[in-house]
Amino acid sequence: MTSRKVVVLGTGGTIAGRASSGSDNVGYKAGEVNIADLLGAVPGMSDRLQGCELISEQIAQIDSKDMGWSVWLALQQACGRHLADQSVAAILITHGTDTLEETAFFLHLCLSEAERCRPVILTCAMRPATALTPDGPQNILDAVTVALDSRSSGVLAVCAGAVHAAQHVQKAHTYRVDAFDSGDTGPLAWVEEGQVRWCQSPLPAEDKPKSVYALDTGAVQVPRVEIVMNYAGAGDSLVRALCAASAAAASPLKGIVVAGTGNGTVNADMQSALEHAAASGIQVALSSRCAKGGVVCSGALPLGFRTYPGLSAVKARVQLMLELMA
Ligand code: ASP
């Protein structure tokens, strides 16, 4: 009988970071330790694997501030390739914390329903592998625990003992090891000494993606979507500069996501520049710069404007890019 497998895809991040001193938790270089060595340094791994075979693959070795489409596509393809093997019980992805929520959401929208029946779990660390007390090994062990829990499915993030859904997870702290938050929804579960205590179903019915974006990876022309923020004193200059530069750009602007104030509001000058952009065919998505809550609409939006209820600006950008590619 073929043994079950857990596949770990390495992409770099602080979890694979190295500093010159064990007491330095911030002055390190991310994406230095390869995935096989990282897994080899996790105590208690073979017990936690419950007889599953551990397979690792290095997809990238980057600081996740540099994350982008090429790595996302490589991850999507690797997930598809491994999940086509029915003996693969789960996929783990080691990732930097900075853009983990965007990668998780991208995979949530791009993996097929069949692929999302098994868990795809992103994990990370806030301290480098060389720290006096690195958090990476415990996070990896917890991620394996969640991966092999029979109730797990879909794209999840595991950090500091909490399990978050891809739709809701957000980096909320710059320094603490417990850096992630799921906003109003809260975490799905907690990992406690090798046990998963679920508080919510991994993928509530209302959160199932409306459409799954099958990407034609051969001919991908990634639509350019930028994010602008409204703030006290912000005017129309950024939006107008983006639109003006777009005509001559190699990759013309296709969308603008606004991280608006409060309930997605923008000042009058910016609003008129956005309406002008929308009239020229640029899609405008309104989101909020608030850490919690989503934009709540009453009445119709201007033509060419949309909102993605509950999505932060960075996730709205992922969704808009995928819609523009579909
Ligand atoms: N800059 C790092 C990264 O995102 C931060 C981290 O992983 O905590 O790769």
Side-chain angles (χ1 to χ4, degrees), residues 5 51 66 101 105-106 110 124 157 169 185 209 227 239 251 290 292 297 302 309:
K5 298 169 192 140
D66 300 319
E101 67 215 58
F105 192 60
F106 168 84
C110 290
C124 55
V169 67
T185 315
I227 300 177
V239 173
S251 166
C290 292
K292 290 185 182 174
C297 290

Side-chain angles (χ1 to χ4, degrees), residues 13-14 28 63-64 96-98 125-126:
T14 296
Y28 58 87
D63 185 311
S64 80
T97 56
D98 290 346
M126 288 295 284

Side-chain angles (χ1 to χ4, degrees), residues 133-216:
T133 55
D135 50 330
Q138 183 68 56
N139 285 345
I140 291 175
L141 215 51
D142 288 348
V144 171
T145 304
V146 178
L148 294 176
D149 187 284
S150 60
R151 291 157 294 181
S152 290
S153 68
V155 183
L156 306 171
V158 173
C159 181
V163 183
H164 302 273
Q167 311 89 292
H168 303 128
V169 67
Q170 194 165 1
K171 187 169 180 181
H173 204 281
T174 54
Y175 181 76
R176 285 190 211 139
V177 290
D178 189 3
F180 287 88
D181 191 283
S182 282
D184 292 337
T185 315
L188 295 175
W190 303 99
V191 193
E192 296 161 339
E193 297 299 306
Q195 303 291 326
V196 187
R197 180 164 58 88
W198 291 94
C199 312
Q200 302 174 50
S201 148
L203 196 59
E206 68 275 16
D207 280 341
K208 288 222 165 82
K210 303 272 175 300
S211 49
V212 168
Y213 300 93
L215 299 179
D216 173 1

Side-chain angles (χ1 to χ4, degrees), residues 165-316:
Q167 311 89 292
H168 303 128
V169 67
Q170 194 165 1
K171 187 169 180 181
H173 204 281
T174 54
Y175 181 76
R176 285 190 211 139
V177 290
D178 189 3
F180 287 88
D181 191 283
S182 282
D184 292 337
T185 315
L188 295 175
W190 303 99
V191 193
E192 296 161 339
E193 297 299 306
Q195 303 291 326
V196 187
R197 180 164 58 88
W198 291 94
C199 312
Q200 302 174 50
S201 148
L203 196 59
E206 68 275 16
D207 280 341
K208 288 222 165 82
K210 303 272 175 300
S211 49
V212 168
Y213 300 93
L215 299 179
D216 173 1
T217 47
V220 173
Q221 159 72 299
V222 182
R224 190 155 72 88
V225 176
E226 304 288 355
I227 300 177
V228 295
M229 187 188 268
N230 188 41
Y231 48 88
D236 59 354
S237 56
L238 264 181
V239 173
R240 292 202 190 277
L242 275 173
C243 296
S246 174
S251 166
L253 187 68
K254 299 284 188 208
I256 299 175
V257 175
V258 187
T261 27
N263 193 22
T265 53
V266 291
N267 69 70
D269 289 345
M270 189 185 279
Q271 176 75 21
S272 115
L274 289 168
E275 284 176 15
H276 192 262
S280 72
I282 293 168
Q283 299 298 318
V284 176
L286 294 178
S287 65
S288 173
R289 65 179 209 182
C290 292
K292 290 185 182 174
V295 175
V296 182
C297 290
S298 79
L301 291 168
L303 202 66
F305 280 50
R306 62 183 82 193
T307 60
Y308 296 108
L311 291 189
S312 63
V314 293
K315 287 183 182 170

